[in-house]
Amino acid sequence: MITQIFNTSLKQGLIAIATGIVMTSATNAEVRLPNYITSNMVMQRNAVLKVPGHATPNTQVTAIPSWTGKPITAKVDKNGKFLLDIPTPDAGGPFSITFSDGKETIIDNLLSGELWLCSGQSNMEFPIEGWTSVMDADHVVATAHNPDIRLLQVKKTTAFSPQEDVQTNMGWVEAASNTMDFSAIAYLFAKELRDSLEVPVGVIDATWGGTPAEAWTGYKALKTIPGFESEVDALSRCNFDAGLLHADYEKKLSDWMSLANAGGEVADPSKIISGKILPAGYFEHIGFGNSFDGIVWAQKSFDVPANLAGKDMTLYLGAIDDEDITYINGKEVAKGSGYNTPRIYTVPENLVKAGKNLLTIRISDFGGEGGFAGPVDNMHAEINGNSIPLSGDWTYQVGVDFSTLPQKPASIEGSSYPTVLYNAMLYPLHNLPIQGVLWYQGCANVGRAEQYEPLFQSLINDWRGLWGKDFPFYFVQLAGWLQPQTVQPDSEWAALRNAQSKALALPNTSMVSAIDLGNPGDIHPRDKQTVAHRLAMTALNRDYGKKDIEYQAPVCTNMKTDGSKLTLSFDRDLHPTSVAVIGFIIGDSEGNFAQAMTEMPDKRTVILSSPHIKRPDRARYNWADYPNGNLYSRAGIPVAPFATDK
């Protein structure tokens, strides 16, 4: 076959040409196939490939798979739709399928093997190359000639009702050095399965960074989850129509903005405000709380030499997230928006005075991080080539904390609105048999852990109901992020991780912890290899009979109280990475917590105590935004964060 004769570059060119020919043929033929069924695909082995499509109404479509040579027929209904059921062979290939209603359409270079759907937000989307490179990206790219691994990337699209078909970026392609702008975790997982099982593996990348779980959940499932009543009502009331939904949203947003702005003013931006003295930076990083959204006034005074007064001044403020109104000495000079847009403002000469000048900025943070997005070290004013630093400490005064207001209407414009990704990027795939799902998402739901617990479980059940199969659903628990803290019982990231873990109550689920792979300064840790390896170990053990592969970490199964001590029992041997066991805090019924001193009398027991907690009755492990626990299994699997009181 071609892939056995030509080098990677020529091979990819020939496949691209062949694909072009097929697509041209399909355009002229009557039979039209879904965008996710193309040449180069991997079919789930020993399954039934359901092929929906369109052809001339009230005719008959025939499919002849090369592995049997026997025709399979289906009637085309009056609307031009048909559905063919094609039994797939055992692992192997290449194969082809010829479709005909009098004119032929052929898809070829097909393989039969294992097919996994990979979904979630940015840490699953994170490609081998194209963003900040993953760890050892050069090696991964250079060794990516794997014709037995096939990749399908679903294009980012939204819809308010379930769609018939997805959009894809290139259709199915072979894994090669020039196709590595693809989910790193998905590809690396596929590679490990391919190397271990020695069968073809296909992976589907259906991801969108920054998206919450509700965007990936269907309408009927969301109806049962508290907190989405307004959106569910709007969808139904507007008959899932984009135009009606847009008008409805604009009205709600206008009412909410009036309410927010009414409390977000200061009496006079030319006066010194009072508040917190903190460095320039994101609100969430400098002490406002990890889930703060609102309107904040930031102020800084600076001196202008007399010889520079009365001259135009340029402010270089870096990016400000999300919106700002900027004043000099009480006079508005500019407005800006866009979380990653640098603010460069010109101040007219009549506002620049000798001596002390007052810079006041009204910053509106509507979601996620907010504040000075940077680079903060280079914030300055410039007059005639002379630079005046504006970095360092600022005075901050909260105008409005949005948590005190009714919930802001969810925007229908983007990718976060409930159901829109489920409808456009997931639902159309449900006819495609898959082995299972890999999921890495949760960052966009931090701060809503109580809601996420039933939401995530509903998502899993919803997807399984759509496919009509309780397929394996393996998910990644969020990595550590933000500043390390030893005692942080109110961590919202820890609470979200705990909500994720509750999905283990559902059958055929497993959780891979990435708690030890994080970076306090980067929400996208570069080590995707370890995440993919842990997912692959899970699948190899649970789905492919490789029972000698250890994929589970020790789990705390019991806690006993004994005066000032707590004794925790685990179901497997613990392997701390140092003599001292760290990462535990203990607390009492009054809500007090302290770092725990630890004893480990045997490999399955940890005894906790603290002079600050006289009568402890609860323990938590790795319970912080960025914790430091050091307990692992024999195979190097980290003990997942847990709380005996949660």
Side-chain angles (χ1 to χ4, degrees), residues 2 66 124 162 209 221-222 252-253 317 337 357 361 479 490 509 639:
I2 289 175
S66 65
M124 181 63 85
L222 275 183
K252 290 179 180 177
L253 180 63
L317 304 176
S337 63
N357 287 256
I361 306 177
D490 59 347
T509 58
V639 171

Side-chain angles (χ1 to χ4, degrees), residues 310-444:
K311 295 180 171 59
D312 285 349
M313 176 172 64
T314 303
L315 298 174
Y316 294 89
L317 304 176
I320 297 177
D321 187 353
D322 296 288
E323 298 178 358
D324 70 283
I325 305 175
T326 297
Y327 305 81
I328 287 289
N329 300 319
K331 301 295 184 181
E332 181 180 325
V333 295
K335 294 180 179 180
S337 63
Y339 71 95
N340 60 354
T341 303
R343 306 307 203 267
I344 303 174
Y345 297 146
T346 298
V347 180
E349 59 186 25
N350 63 300
L351 295 182
V352 183
K353 63 182 184 180
K356 192 172 295 297
N357 287 256
L358 193 63
L359 171 59
T360 307
I361 306 177
R362 182 185 189 268
I363 303 174
S364 299
D365 170 24
F366 294 111
E369 294 175 311
F372 292 108
V376 296
D377 293 340
N378 195 37
M379 295 169 62
H380 67 283
E382 190 173 294
I383 308 174
N384 277 7
N386 296 275
S387 181
I388 303 171
L390 297 175
S391 56
D393 286 343
W394 286 62
T395 301
Y396 296 89
Q397 178 179 302
V398 175
V400 179
D401 182 343
F402 290 164
S403 68
T404 65
L405 302 180
Q407 185 175 349
K408 184 185 176 186
S411 173
I412 67 166
E413 302 294 341
S415 56
S416 295
Y417 197 80
T419 77
V420 294
L421 304 186
Y422 171 92
N423 293 330
M425 298 176 65
L426 181 84
Y427 179 88
L429 299 172
H430 74 272
N431 281 313
L432 191 63
I434 58 174
Q435 172 59 33
V437 169
L438 307 181
W439 173 261
Y440 193 168
Q441 187 277 337
C443 299

Side-chain angles (χ1 to χ4, degrees), residues 454-467:
L455 171 61
F456 184 35
Q457 293 179 49
S458 291
L459 179 150
I460 297 172
N461 288 329
D462 193 22
W463 289 24
R464 288 173 167 174
L466 183 61
W467 261 266

Side-chain angles (χ1 to χ4, degrees), residues 98 113 163 208 248 283 287 360 362 410 413 467 487 510 553 563:
T98 300
Q163 301 298 293
W208 196 326
D248 184 72
F283 299 147
T360 307
R362 182 185 189 268
E413 302 294 341
W467 261 266
V487 181
S510 188

Side-chain angles (χ1 to χ4, degrees), residues 558-574:
N558 189 48
M559 182 186 76
K560 291 183 179 180
T561 59
D562 182 13
S564 62
K565 293 186 177 183
L566 298 177
T567 299
L568 304 182
S569 301
F570 291 79
D571 62 352
R572 292 177 178 81
D573 288 356
L574 297 165

